[in-house]
Amino acid sequence: MSLHPVEPDKLWVIAARGGDRDAFRMLVEQNQRDVYTLAVRLVSDCHLAEDVAQETFVRAWRALPNFRGDSAFSTWLYRITVNTAWTHRGRQKRHRHADIDDVPAIADETRRHNPGHLDETLHLPEALGEALNSLSAEQRMVVVLKDVEGWSHSEIAELLDITTGAAKVRLHRARRRLRTLLADVDW
Amino acid sequence: MNLDRIGAAAASRTYQLRCKGVRMLLPEYIGSSAPLPESIATHLSSCLVCRVEADRLRQVAELLADGRQSSWTPPSTLVDAVMARLDEKVESRFMGRLVVAGAVALGLGVVVAVVATKRSSAVSTAQFDS
């Protein structure tokens, strides 16, 4: 009989499910970077992302007894992160200090004169970060989940509790909106 | 907007796409795994403006996909903050239940008192009338 190696995460998960806080702390330490990174992408605000990451782990702790292990722990945690970011979307602010992609601030004056487009002196990578921030929370979420994270339409639809068709339409509109926002950017 | 239907129409060789239609459909295909319909590919081969538009969308898609490689360093306080909140949550949930239970008891008490007062007042009035 051969012994199958058990993933370290699984051992910690089993212990944490039994209420072992040290084991859960290990899980938080191991997954904090991925959870925080996803949260930053989804909410485009480092402070809010920290709240989302904290809330994600707190929710995970409470839900651990129900975690059946059908998927990897990290995948399960990812879903909680997206759900948490979704419930926090009302708190998202339009901001100029987005650490995401180190985007430089855009003067409000420029925006006022040219509300549908971004500053034409920006280059594409910086402007894309700004354009993402300009999308609605719902639109940014589908773009990030599909085009950055690589989720399928059906996975996005299931998570947002909409039909696959609605997810496709929302993504399509978000991409077109991004393209419009980037119309005047220096390519 | 039914993208599947429009896409299916675009896939048809007989469907002659103009610039406006192509640009509407491009975000659906550029950067995705879906194959570009022949009608769109044909249009792009003969229309420089739409080809530039497709290239720009492709650049955007590539930049977004590149974002997958980057990561952000979480605040050094995150782990401790999470662990502290585990304790706080338990306490606050308990306190929350206590407050709710207290409020319900108080509400019931008020209702009982009001009903009792009304009844006694009704009895007094009936006795006075008789």
Side-chain angles (χ1 to χ4, degrees):
Chain A
M1 191 178 84
S2 63
L3 288 173
H4 296 285
V6 181
E7 293 168 35
D9 250 17
K10 282 191 176 173
L11 293 174
W12 297 122
V13 169
I14 292 167
R17 279 177 64 179
D20 185 334
R21 286 174 182 240
D22 290 336
F24 187 69
R25 187 184 182 92
M26 286 299 297
L27 289 170
V28 176
E29 285 176 358
Q30 284 171 357
N31 291 281
Q32 58 171 328
R33 177 177 284 270
D34 288 343
V35 166
Y36 180 71
T37 295
L38 178 60
V40 171
R41 285 178 188 150
L42 292 171
V43 301
S44 297
D45 180 308
C46 286
H47 299 292
L48 187 54
E50 189 180 351
D51 288 347
V52 169
Q54 279 188 29
E55 183 69 24
T56 296
F57 285 115
V58 172
R59 287 186 186 188
W61 170 252
R62 280 192 233 135
L64 254 179
N66 302 323
F67 176 60
R68 292 175 301 175
D70 294 339
S71 61
F73 177 73
S74 56
T75 307
W76 181 71
L77 208 52
Y78 250 46
R79 290 192 161 272
I80 298 177
T81 309
V82 178
N83 271 320
T84 307
W86 184 245
T87 56
H88 276 64
R89 68 190 186 281
R91 291 165 55 187
Q92 291 177 27
K93 296 169 283 185
R94 293 279 178 262
H95 50 83
R96 300 288 160 273
H97 59 277
D99 303 44
I100 182 170
D101 292 342
D102 295 320
V103 176
I106 291 180
D108 286 344
E109 194 64 20
T110 306
R111 192 174 292 273
R112 200 156 47 237
H113 286 304
N114 197 8
H117 303 274
L118 299 176
D119 185 350
E120 58 196 26
T121 61
L122 283 177
H123 292 284
L124 183 59
E126 298 83 30
L128 180 58
E130 263 299 317
L132 275 172
N133 293 343
S134 300
L135 295 179
S136 68
E138 289 80 3
Q139 287 185 331
R140 182 170 57 249
M141 195 153 284
V142 291
V143 168
V144 168
L145 290 178
K146 184 75 174 72
D147 293 340
V148 182
E149 300 294 333
W151 287 33
S152 69
H153 287 118
S154 56
E155 284 175 319
I156 295 170
E158 184 191 340
L159 191 93
L160 302 184
D161 198 22
I162 55 179
T163 64
T164 305
K168 282 184 181 178
V169 169
R170 192 174 290 180
L171 178 68
H172 184 85
R173 286 181 179 155
R175 284 174 174 169
R176 290 187 70 190
R177 173 85 181 126
L178 267 185
R179 181 65 193 89
T180 304
L181 286 165
L182 295 169
D184 294 335
V185 168
D186 181 6
W187 295 69
Chain B
M1 180 169 52
N2 186 333
L3 290 175
D4 289 333
R5 204 171 58 199
I6 296 171
S12 161
R13 289 186 184 193
T14 57
Y15 190 82
Q16 296 298 310
L17 283 172
R18 297 186 179 207
C19 294
K20 192 177 174 186
V22 167
R23 282 179 217 167
M24 193 181 80
L25 289 168
L26 278 176
E28 178 72 5
Y29 294 100
I30 302 295
S32 77
S33 55
L36 199 62
E38 195 176 327
S39 56
I40 293 181
T42 304
H43 180 92
L44 291 181
S45 66
S46 61
C47 178
L48 178 63
V49 178
C50 287
R51 206 157 57 239
V52 169
E53 175 68 13
D55 284 343
R56 290 186 166 188
L57 282 169
R58 198 169 287 117
Q59 275 183 271
V60 171
E62 285 169 3
L63 270 174
L64 285 169
D66 284 348
R68 212 173 299 164
Q69 311 304 324
S70 62
S71 68
W72 283 267
T73 304
S76 57
T77 53
L78 180 62
V79 178
D80 287 335
V82 168
M83 299 311 289
R85 282 191 62 186
L86 298 187
D87 292 328
E88 281 172 14
K89 270 297 172 191
V90 172
E91 286 170 14
S92 67
R93 285 175 80 189
F94 175 72
M95 288 303 290
R97 285 176 186 169
L98 208 62
V99 168
V100 170
V104 169
L106 187 66
L108 280 173
V110 169
V111 169
V112 168
V114 167
V115 170
T117 307
K118 280 191 174 174
R119 276 194 180 173
S120 73
S121 132
V123 169
S124 310
T125 309
Q127 283 174 345
F128 181 77
D129 288 345
S130 65

